[in-house]
């Protein structure tokens, strides 16, 4: 698989959303041991989802953007700030730039919706990845699903 052999797009239809959920299940539930009943939440219904898909249609990356009132609980209630989350790339596709493409796709969708910044909750092992993309950590470390995280933000 080469970096040019995939596209990142907004998940427009139910099949794309199911592809996102399948990627998340493989990465978070199977690989990281996150309980399935907390991986999928009420935010999924209103979120903008993005999916990375190979030319042959195989999905291998996903992420989501919360914005508006649904993002307030994750961003401290600041208007104009979206919440990037559930970023997942299948193991076989890591190191190909898919994560970067997903983050940039989510940021583009945030700009289209008039947002001025994006927050995220990074697993601590991924902080360096997000720092390279311009995100800055703030606040204390916290645990979500038993995994250490840091809050991060990037202005758009």
């Amino acid at each position: 698989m080469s970096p040019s052999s995939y596209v990142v797009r907004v998940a427009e239809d139910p099949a794309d959303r199911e592809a996102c959920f399948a990627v998340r299940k493989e990465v978070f539930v199977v690989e990281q041991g996150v309980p399935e009943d907390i991986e999928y939440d009420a935010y999924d219904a209103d979120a903008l989802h993005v999916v990375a898909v190979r030319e042959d249609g195989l999905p291998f990356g996903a992420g989501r953007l919360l914005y508006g009132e649904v993002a307030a609980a994750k961003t401290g209630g600041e208007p104009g700030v979206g919440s990037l989350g559930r970023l997942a790339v299948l193991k076989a596709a890591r190191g190909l730039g898919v994560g970067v493409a997903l983050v940039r796709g989510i940021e583009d969708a945030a700009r289209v919706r008039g947002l001025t910044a994006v927050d995220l909750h990074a697993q601590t092992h991924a902080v360096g990845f997000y720092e390279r993309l311009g995100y800055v950590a703030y606040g204390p470390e916290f645990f979500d699903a038993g995994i250490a995280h840091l809050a991060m933000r990037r202005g758009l």
Side-chain angles (χ1 to χ4, degrees), residues 10 48 50 64-68 80-84 102-119 135 154-156:
V10 172
L48 177 139
V50 295
R64 75 177 185 190
L65 173 69
L66 305 179
Y67 57 97
V81 179
S83 176
L84 183 158
L102 286 164
V103 169
R104 295 306 187 217
I106 290 168
E107 291 171 347
D108 290 345
R111 282 186 198 91
V112 166
R113 283 151 185 80
L115 302 179
T116 58
V118 173
D119 267 16
Y135 287 81
R154 178 175 185 262
L156 299 176

Side-chain angles (χ1 to χ4, degrees), residues 63-89:
R64 75 177 185 190
L65 173 69
L66 305 179
Y67 57 97
E69 289 184 28
V70 296
K74 302 236 180 223
T75 64
E78 293 184 50
V81 179
S83 176
L84 183 158
R86 302 302 203 265
L87 191 75
V89 177

Side-chain angles (χ1 to χ4, degrees), residues 124 140-150:
T124 55
E141 184 177 288
F142 62 95
F143 284 82
D144 187 10
I147 301 169
H149 286 71
L150 283 173

Side-chain angles (χ1 to χ4, degrees), residues 39-82:
E39 169 51 30
Y40 308 104
D41 59 26
Y43 295 115
D44 281 326
D46 295 317
L48 177 139
H49 297 269
V50 295
V51 61
V53 182
R54 246 177 23 188
E55 288 176 353
D56 65 3
L58 180 72
F60 57 89
R64 75 177 185 190
L65 173 69
L66 305 179
Y67 57 97
E69 289 184 28
V70 296
K74 302 236 180 223
T75 64
E78 293 184 50
V81 179

